[in-house]
Amino acid sequence: MIAGRGKARIRPPRRGLHGDEVDFDMTWATIESAFREIHTKNASKLSYEELYRHAYRIVLKKKGEHLYNKVHDFERDWLSSEVRASIQQLLSPNLVVDAQSVAGTTANERRVAGEKFLKGLKQAWGDHQVCTSMLADVLMYMDRVYCADQRRPSIFNAAMVLFRDEILHSPVAETATYTILGLLNDIILDQIQMERDGDVIDKQLIKSCVWMLEGLHQDEVESEEQRLYNTSFEVAYLDQSRNFYRRESELLLRDSHAGAYCKHARRRIYEEDERCKQTLLESTAPKIQQVVEDEMIKNRIHELVEMESGVRFMIDNHRLEELNFVYDLNKRVDDKKTEITRAIQQRIVYMGSDINKDAIAASQAPAAAPAADSADKGRGAAQEKSLNQQTVAAIKWVEDVLSLKDRFDKIWLESFESDHLLQQAQTRSFTEFINSPTFPRSSEYISLFIDENMKKGIKGKTEMEIDTVLDKAIILLRYVQDKDLFERYYKKHLCRRLLMNKSISNEVEKQMISKMKIELGNNFTLKLEAMFKDMTISEELTAGFKKHVEGLGDRDPKRIELAINVLTSMTWPLESMGGVAAEEEDQRPRCNFPMVVDKIKRGFEKFYSEKHSGRQLTWLANMGSADIKAVFPKVPQKDGSFKERRHDLNVSTYGMVILLLFNELPADQHLTFEEIQAQTNIPNNDLIRNLQSLAVAPKTRILIKEPMSKDVKPTDRFSFNEGFQGKFVKIKVGVVSGGNKVESDRERRETEKKNDDSRQFCIEAAVVRIMKQRKELSHQQLVSETLGQLAGQFKPEVNMIKKRIESLIEREYLERVEGAKIDSYRYLA
Amino acid sequence: MAETAREELINSLKSLLSSSEYSDFTITCGADAYKVHKAIVCSRSGFLKRAEKFPFGKKSAENMVNLPADDPAIIKCLFHFLYGCDSNDAPIDRLLHAKMYEITDKYNLRGLKMPTREKFTLEHAFMSTPDEDQGLREILYEIVVSHVVLLEQTSVEELMGSHTGFAFSVIKRQAAELARLKSS
């Protein structure tokens, strides 16, 4: 490989390995002149190898430090004289003044002057970097050996620091304290402000200067936060921005509407983000975001939400997109979205309360003026009309609430991005107004809504539509706190529907029950299911009895056909049937049935007792109906012929009893009220109402009343109306208060009282259950556990619980624990 | 397998140098001209790397670097080693070896495949005939004294440790150097 001249003598070098007297000054002169050429971009004749060698030899001769200092001084001088002079030339007289105060020249002039400065500075910086890089290349050996060894900054880094000190920190004028760096910052800030105002600026140019600031540090610490960019520029930028956005947000709120504000804020946020990417540094992004969010959102969100065009307006005018903007802004500064949640809740409760108020107002409004011939209508009819009006108000309430829910569900889905917290808040608000103490009718109204649908509403609807309707009821039911009250109403209404055969479909009834089972539990639906069972059994009994009778012997053409409903006594809410007044509650309706009816009655009783010995049947004459075939004597027709008229009359049981009295009576004779009363034993009120329906109601005057008037006096006389004319063969004689209606205030109070009574039992049962298990509990714990156990049924008042506890103590179920620090109780076995 | 691959690589490097194929860089030293490859030499030498990118000068435009102040024999050695050659199959020139140390330092060369018998070279150099040694020894002293970096090499360290005479001489020269510096 290497042809060895192995044996040749090696002479010791005469002048050392590299020439003994490395003359420093001469060498340095060469190097310095080369550096000058480099700086003046005149380096074409230079040889890298030669320069490198010069520096190498100097360091080898242990003169590294000397060289380093010389280079350092050279650079410093170059910067402070040549470079600084060129920078000074960029400063127009106005530039300095304008940068510090905005007034004076036009925006365009300022922009142009600023750009000139930035360009010049960028150029100087660029040149400096290139030159320094070349110097460092040439001095590589010194860097490696001397600097590393002596722990001095590399010549490149030292030169960077020199640029900072000699250029950036130099004053703009001899006596000024304002520095080039300060000017640079102000110019950039000014340009950015112009961009915010809509002008186009040279982003790339600014970015170049930003890079310069990024590469330099405030002092020796070389951390990110100590970069000149951060300590000098960024601080000023954030301050200026803060002031700007504070002012802008104030003006915007004053001058434009909420939706526009939101859009603007979003735009600014986006702009700032882009600015950090394109013009500044990305590390500023989170900090400026914070500034914008603080000034435009956090400090203003309350005003924004509350302003005239704010959330309330948006809700009322279906501005879903704007609501989404507000939500989005709120979310940025607050995880809980407190402001918008509050506004939504307020609105829901307000609108809900309005719905409540409307319902109450509608139900208390004076009855619509009756028709002209009011004398013909019974007083009951007018009352009926007003009650119908109330029922209508109830239905409307349900539909309004559901409609409100739909509206806010839509907002929740589209504007609030199905936000979990907002869903909870909305639920709370709905619960609030539905269970408001000023509106105690929710349970009743919901039950009426279902009632109306079961009787009429679902007619003609598809399975899916029906399901939707039922689900609506369930949705509302979920909000109701007094579920026991609802149960009470539902039973009452269901009872009437079943017994008067008003339901369109038994299937749908059962469907509703099973939905309620899921929602409210088994206990609730047990009694309801029992009612259905009774109806089924009653059908079987009716069929069975009919067969039984047929089997007995010849068919009597005049035999009465019986359709029977046997009701298990505790299952059905019978006290609410037939308008029996509270005072007469204890009295079962009594009635003297005509013989034919009595016969069939006894026949059935016998039949039933053979099936179920030991059970007692009580007949409810105030309920039920009868179909009577009535024959009216011939009357002359228009065309001269005579025709006997037959009608099928459908009347109440009492009505039947009354009419049959007239069968034995000659046509020209009459019965007085008192006589009828004595013979039938029908309670007064019922008798009056039934006589009104048979003799006063215009289309169903089967009887003639003397004297003719709306009200019925004991001395009034009644006779069979031979001349009765009815349009149709089948005539139904309706009695006032047939259907389910909204309760009068009196009735409502009664219902509530009954409900409270049964609640007391429930509370006591719960307390005993709890104490039996826990043996000893503090008062607070007992109350809260009781509340918890009963939550599914109703919300007991704390006072009621207290009273029940005291009652239980009196009755020695519990005792107070003596000497305990806090009120406590003990279970007494 | 790996061995074969490595051998292949070294063989191809060697042939690149001898054939001058794909050469994009020329280094001249004395009468010699080496057609080398930037990818290979500039990645191994800080000096060559910077020389290559130095933006001014006629030479750089022509992708040429001249080394007027270096010993052509050393340079030859340098490139041979850079291109994977081994000196095992040729007699070792001790002086050359010493100078190789020097050039490694001067031109910031990395991972030069020096002959494995470094230690031998230095010891050998040290223990040979006085006449020869004087010359060689002087050179060694100069090198070690100037190139402080070399002190870190284990071979030098060991030599200093096992041959106190050598160490003493080095120290003497260091002292003289310091004195000279102080006075100038």
Side-chain angles (χ1 to χ4, degrees):
Chain A
M1 198 55 86
I2 295 101
R5 281 184 263 141
K7 297 278 187 215
R9 282 174 62 99
I10 297 161
R11 238 175 279 137
R14 247 181 306 133
R15 291 186 301 151
L17 217 49
H18 307 288
D20 221 4
E21 302 308 312
V22 177
D23 185 75
F24 182 86
D25 292 326
M26 258 175 50
T27 317
W28 167 245
T30 314
I31 294 176
E32 190 193 17
S33 129
F35 283 178
R36 220 170 271 279
E37 308 272 276
I38 288 174
H39 272 301
T40 53
K41 303 195 179 154
N42 198 21
S44 53
K45 297 202 193 67
L46 297 179
S47 154
Y48 176 73
E49 185 278 329
E50 185 190 326
L51 293 170
Y52 182 89
R53 195 182 352 121
H54 284 312
Y56 168 71
R57 285 184 181 172
I58 290 179
V59 175
L60 229 43
K61 283 289 154 193
K62 310 281 189 245
K63 299 247 171 141
E65 179 162 357
H66 205 19
L67 177 62
Y68 186 94
N69 291 336
K70 280 287 193 189
V71 174
H72 192 269
D73 290 345
F74 169 79
E75 265 308 305
R76 196 191 52 228
D77 292 338
W78 180 268
L79 285 168
S80 60
S81 56
E82 302 290 326
V83 180
R84 201 183 290 178
S86 69
I87 298 292
Q88 291 284 334
Q89 282 180 351
L90 300 167
L91 307 176
S92 66
N94 282 336
L95 188 69
V96 176
V97 173
D98 286 345
Q100 292 176 298
S101 60
V102 185
T105 43
T106 67
N108 201 46
E109 285 171 350
R110 278 201 335 268
R111 187 173 54 81
V112 168
E115 279 175 4
K116 182 174 164 207
F117 174 81
L118 292 175
K119 274 203 182 94
L121 189 59
K122 173 187 172 183
Q123 182 72 42
W125 169 250
D127 288 345
H128 181 71
Q129 288 192 297
V130 166
C131 294
T132 308
S133 181
M134 289 170 67
L135 259 62
D137 282 348
V138 165
L139 299 169
M140 185 181 87
Y141 193 79
M142 181 188 80
D143 262 344
R144 247 181 68 220
V145 173
Y146 166 72
C147 296
D149 199 50
Q150 300 296 323
R151 303 225 179 101
R152 294 198 80 170
S154 70
I155 201 65
F156 186 89
N157 286 346
M160 292 302 122
V161 170
L162 279 171
F163 187 90
R164 179 194 74 197
D165 292 341
E166 297 302 324
I167 303 298
L168 293 182
H169 283 329
S170 70
V172 297
E174 264 193 38
T175 49
T177 47
Y178 193 39
T179 60
I180 297 286
L181 178 61
L183 179 62
L184 173 65
N185 286 341
D186 287 341
I187 286 177
I188 298 180
L189 290 178
D190 194 26
Q191 300 262 326
I192 290 177
Q193 190 50 50
M194 287 184 219
E195 190 182 51
R196 281 187 184 142
D197 291 338
D199 289 342
V200 175
I201 60 172
D202 190 340
K203 293 189 268 220
Q204 200 46 47
L205 179 57
I206 298 176
K207 187 89 166 169
S208 308
C209 293
V210 162
W211 277 329
M212 175 182 73
L213 294 178
E214 186 192 20
L216 298 170
H217 291 82
Q218 177 79 2
D219 46 37
E220 301 82 43
V221 179
E222 290 202 354
S223 71
E224 194 180 289
E225 287 302 316
Q226 285 298 109
R227 299 180 296 196
L228 215 52
Y229 170 82
N230 293 63
T231 60
S232 175
F233 171 76
E234 198 185 52
V235 166
Y237 174 63
L238 293 174
D239 260 347
Q240 182 225 41
S241 304
R242 207 183 314 273
N243 289 333
F244 170 73
Y245 284 117
R246 188 171 296 157
R247 265 178 290 122
E248 187 174 74
S249 62
E250 193 175 315
L251 284 172
L252 267 181
L253 275 179
R254 197 192 64 193
D255 293 339
S256 61
H257 65 90
Y261 182 95
C262 293
K263 276 207 189 113
H264 192 94
R266 282 158 69 99
R267 186 164 66 82
R268 285 302 195 199
I269 288 174
Y270 172 74
E271 271 175 23
E272 290 298 338
D273 207 45
E274 284 298 298
R275 183 166 296 128
C276 288
K277 283 187 190 134
Q278 293 176 15
T279 314
L280 304 175
L281 293 184
E282 288 221 38
S283 60
T284 303
K287 298 176 198 173
I288 189 67
Q289 282 294 321
Q290 188 70 43
V291 167
V292 181
E293 283 180 4
D294 280 349
E295 295 303 326
M296 293 212 87
I297 309 177
K298 194 151 130 196
N299 297 345
R300 302 283 179 194
I301 187 78
H302 184 81
E303 265 177 85
L304 177 68
V305 162
E306 293 296 317
M307 64 196 280
E308 227 182 275
S309 54
V311 170
R312 189 179 146 154
F313 175 85
M314 292 174 191
I315 294 173
D316 291 349
N317 292 279
H318 303 282
R319 302 286 176 93
L320 292 180
E321 197 191 14
E322 290 179 9
L323 278 171
N324 180 241
F325 288 159
V326 178
Y327 169 76
D328 181 63
L329 290 184
N330 202 183
K331 194 164 78 156
R332 281 171 193 262
V333 298
D334 178 4
D335 276 340
K336 298 208 181 79
K337 307 119 202 164
T338 319
E339 285 296 324
I340 199 169
T341 304
R342 194 184 40 82
I344 290 287
Q345 286 191 295
Q346 271 181 3
R347 198 76 193 121
I348 293 176
V349 170
Y350 185 89
M351 289 170 101
S353 305
D354 264 356
I355 296 176
N356 289 355
K357 277 187 213 139
D358 282 350
I360 294 179
S363 68
Q364 284 172 351
D373 50 342
S374 59
D376 296 338
K377 296 209 169 128
R379 178 179 64 85
Q383 196 178 41
E384 171 157 0
K385 192 142 183 134
S386 87
L387 285 176
N388 268 337
Q389 178 183 321
Q390 289 197 36
T391 309
V392 164
I395 310 281
K396 182 168 187 300
W397 178 89
V398 167
E399 307 215 304
D400 284 350
V401 174
L402 285 170
S403 158
L404 189 70
K405 178 160 175 24
D406 279 344
R407 178 190 213 152
F408 278 96
D409 277 350
K410 185 153 186 249
I411 293 178
W412 175 75
L413 191 68
E414 291 183 32
S415 305
F416 300 155
E417 298 165 15
S418 308
D419 184 290
H420 185 57
L421 284 175
L422 269 151
Q423 185 181 45
Q424 289 179 337
Q426 287 186 203
T427 304
R428 276 199 299 277
S429 298
F430 271 86
T431 307
E432 190 181 318
F433 80 81
I434 288 176
N435 295 287
S436 160
T438 53
F439 187 77
R441 303 183 188 186
S442 313
S443 318
E444 190 188 350
Y445 281 13
I446 296 174
S447 184
L448 278 172
F449 169 79
I450 302 173
D451 183 68
E452 186 61 24
N453 271 291
M454 290 298 178
K455 295 193 302 205
K456 280 192 230 153
I458 55 171
K459 189 161 190 169
K461 288 201 161 69
T462 66
E463 249 185 68
M464 257 186 68
E465 287 170 332
I466 293 176
D467 207 55
T468 311
V469 168
L470 298 185
D471 278 339
K472 281 183 177 169
I474 293 288
I475 288 168
L476 283 189
L477 203 49
R478 280 196 196 117
Y479 292 115
V480 170
Q481 274 172 344
D482 295 339
K483 300 219 198 311
D484 58 344
L485 198 56
F486 172 79
E487 186 183 347
R488 197 172 281 272
Y489 282 114
Y490 194 78
K491 272 205 329 222
K492 178 175 135 188
H493 296 153
L494 176 65
C495 170
R496 285 219 182 116
R497 285 202 298 279
L498 291 176
L499 294 181
M500 292 182 196
N501 211 17
K502 295 268 187 184
S503 305
I504 291 184
S505 157
N506 244 20
E507 282 308 307
V508 179
E509 291 276 2
K510 296 219 173 116
Q511 215 180 323
M512 187 76 228
I513 303 287
S514 59
K515 280 191 197 280
M516 288 202 283
K517 206 174 194 169
I518 297 169
E519 215 39 55
L520 304 167
N522 272 355
N523 278 340
F524 180 83
T525 51
L526 231 46
K527 291 250 175 75
L528 301 174
E529 284 172 330
M531 285 158 80
F532 279 100
K533 193 149 174 251
D534 274 353
M535 296 304 290
T536 311
I537 294 176
S538 298
E539 272 175 36
E540 289 165 9
L541 283 170
T542 303
F545 182 65
K546 184 169 172 187
K547 238 175 119 190
H548 167 82
V549 163
E550 280 169 4
L552 279 181
D554 302 315
R555 185 153 161 61
D556 176 357
K558 284 231 180 111
R559 178 172 288 131
I560 301 172
E561 260 194 52
L562 184 68
I564 188 91
N565 281 333
V566 179
L567 315 175
T568 313
S569 59
M570 292 314 285
T571 309
W572 295 73
L574 293 171
E575 66 279 359
S576 57
M577 303 309 303
V580 175
E583 308 90 77
E584 298 174 40
E585 207 183 303
D586 318 314
Q587 298 170 353
R588 278 298 151 98
R590 64 221 182 281
C591 183
N592 292 345
F593 290 108
M595 266 223 333
V596 279
V597 176
D598 208 49
K599 190 172 157 205
I600 205 92
K601 176 169 168 277
R602 276 183 282 115
F604 181 79
E605 278 169 353
K606 184 155 176 263
F607 169 74
Y608 190 79
S609 66
E610 275 163 19
K611 280 179 173 277
H612 307 283
S613 66
R615 291 191 188 174
Q616 191 195 15
L617 289 174
T618 307
W619 294 81
L620 305 174
N622 61 322
M623 301 176 64
S625 61
D627 290 321
I628 304 181
K629 281 196 174 15
V631 181
F632 295 87
K634 302 180 183 155
V635 286
Q637 298 284 65
K638 279 195 191 124
D639 57 4
S641 59
F642 285 87
K643 205 168 160 215
E644 194 183 62
R645 289 156 304 124
R646 290 176 181 273
H647 288 284
D648 288 336
L649 303 174
N650 176 271
V651 300
S652 68
T653 306
Y654 284 149
M656 165 196 67
V657 170
I658 296 167
L659 284 178
L660 285 177
L661 287 178
F662 290 87
N663 259 355
E664 310 305 317
L665 204 66
D668 53 349
Q669 286 198 15
H670 62 258
L671 290 172
T672 66
F673 177 84
E674 284 166 336
E675 285 171 327
I676 299 174
Q677 221 270 323
Q679 288 191 42
T680 63
N681 230 351
I682 293 174
N684 253 18
N685 275 337
D686 293 311
L687 185 56
I688 290 172
R689 283 205 326 267
N690 276 280
L691 283 171
Q692 281 172 336
S693 69
L694 288 169
V696 175
K699 293 211 173 73
T700 55
R701 286 184 195 161
I702 317 293
L703 303 175
I704 301 174
K705 175 170 169 302
E706 284 172 344
M708 188 51 198
S709 63
K710 257 202 308 191
D711 47 324
V712 174
K713 294 196 189 55
T715 48
D716 287 353
R717 293 175 304 186
F718 296 88
S719 53
F720 184 66
N721 180 11
E722 290 195 325
F724 172 78
Q725 305 237 24
K727 258 208 234 161
F728 306 104
V729 173
K730 281 190 159 56
I731 299 177
K732 183 171 158 74
V733 181
V735 187
V736 182
S737 95
N740 291 326
K741 309 254 184 327
V742 172
E743 292 188 319
S744 62
D745 284 334
R746 182 176 58 92
E747 287 173 316
R748 186 168 301 115
R749 276 197 294 278
E750 278 172 35
T751 309
E752 283 174 7
K753 179 170 177 309
K754 279 193 210 118
N755 205 42
D756 279 347
D757 287 341
S758 71
R759 276 187 184 179
Q760 299 201 9
F761 285 128
C762 283
I763 292 176
E764 287 190 358
V767 168
V768 169
R769 239 193 338 266
I770 293 166
M771 290 305 296
K772 188 167 176 185
Q773 197 193 21
R774 308 282 292 261
K775 305 290 184 226
E776 272 189 38
L777 266 188
S778 73
H779 176 82
Q780 276 301 99
Q781 277 176 300
L782 181 56
V783 168
S784 79
E785 285 213 27
T786 308
L787 280 165
Q789 275 212 12
L790 296 169
Q793 289 165 258
F794 62 95
K795 192 165 166 216
E797 272 175 48
V798 178
N799 266 335
M800 199 186 272
I801 300 178
K802 261 179 97 172
K803 286 215 170 71
R804 289 299 99 213
I805 293 175
E806 275 165 23
S807 167
L808 285 168
I809 292 175
E810 264 178 49
R811 288 181 275 149
E812 297 188 1
Y813 281 84
L814 318 169
E815 65 175 1
R816 284 214 170 75
V817 175
E818 297 292 330
K821 262 190 288 189
I822 35 172
D823 268 349
S824 310
Y825 308 101
R826 189 181 296 123
Y827 178 70
L828 292 173
Chain B
M1 276 293 276
E3 278 313 309
T4 340
R6 198 176 316 184
E7 279 165 24
E8 260 307 306
L9 181 64
I10 291 177
N11 287 338
S12 97
L13 281 179
K14 289 182 194 172
S15 70
L16 271 175
L17 180 63
S18 50
S19 73
S20 315
E21 248 186 316
Y22 305 113
S23 162
D24 55 5
F25 203 26
T26 309
I27 318 276
T28 55
C29 182
D32 298 328
Y34 299 93
K35 294 220 173 283
V36 293
H37 311 83
K38 290 182 188 174
I40 295 173
V41 304
C42 293
S43 55
R44 307 276 295 277
S45 160
F47 167 80
L48 285 175
K49 175 173 162 179
R50 282 163 179 76
E52 190 278 325
K53 79 169 163 78
F54 198 72
F56 300 118
K58 190 165 82 108
K59 292 281 193 274
S60 78
E62 296 169 4
N63 285 320
M64 202 154 57
V65 171
N66 186 26
L67 306 175
D70 290 307
D71 187 340
I74 309 281
I75 297 302
K76 199 186 199 107
C77 233
L78 169 66
F79 284 116
H80 277 290
F81 287 136
L82 264 182
Y83 277 77
C85 298
D86 213 307
S87 71
N88 285 341
D89 32 37
I92 311 120
D93 189 302
R94 284 155 289 168
L95 181 59
L96 233 45
H97 265 139
K99 290 203 166 180
M100 287 303 293
Y101 277 112
E102 192 191 10
I103 212 101
T104 310
D105 182 46
K106 178 181 181 186
Y107 288 143
N108 188 214
L109 287 157
R110 276 187 293 284
L112 203 61
K113 186 173 194 285
M114 292 286 276
T116 48
R117 287 166 283 185
E118 308 167 5
K119 198 160 129 181
F120 266 80
T121 309
L122 285 175
E123 286 221 59
H124 196 221
F126 194 63
M127 289 189 313
S128 25
T129 63
D131 259 6
E132 264 184 315
D133 275 356
Q134 211 42 53
L136 191 52
R137 278 196 203 182
E138 276 301 318
I139 290 164
L140 283 179
Y141 295 149
E142 284 270 2
I143 290 170
V144 174
V145 161
S146 322
H147 300 256
V148 177
V149 168
L150 287 174
L151 280 175
E152 290 167 20
Q153 288 206 13
T154 29
S155 51
V156 178
E157 235 183 83
E158 281 178 21
L159 185 61
M160 301 272 269
S162 49
H163 294 269
T164 45
F166 184 83
F168 182 66
S169 296
V170 169
I171 291 170
K172 244 179 34 184
R173 271 166 182 70
Q174 282 274 29
E177 193 72 20
L178 268 168
R180 194 174 57 79
L181 279 173
K182 273 201 178 136
S183 62
S184 64

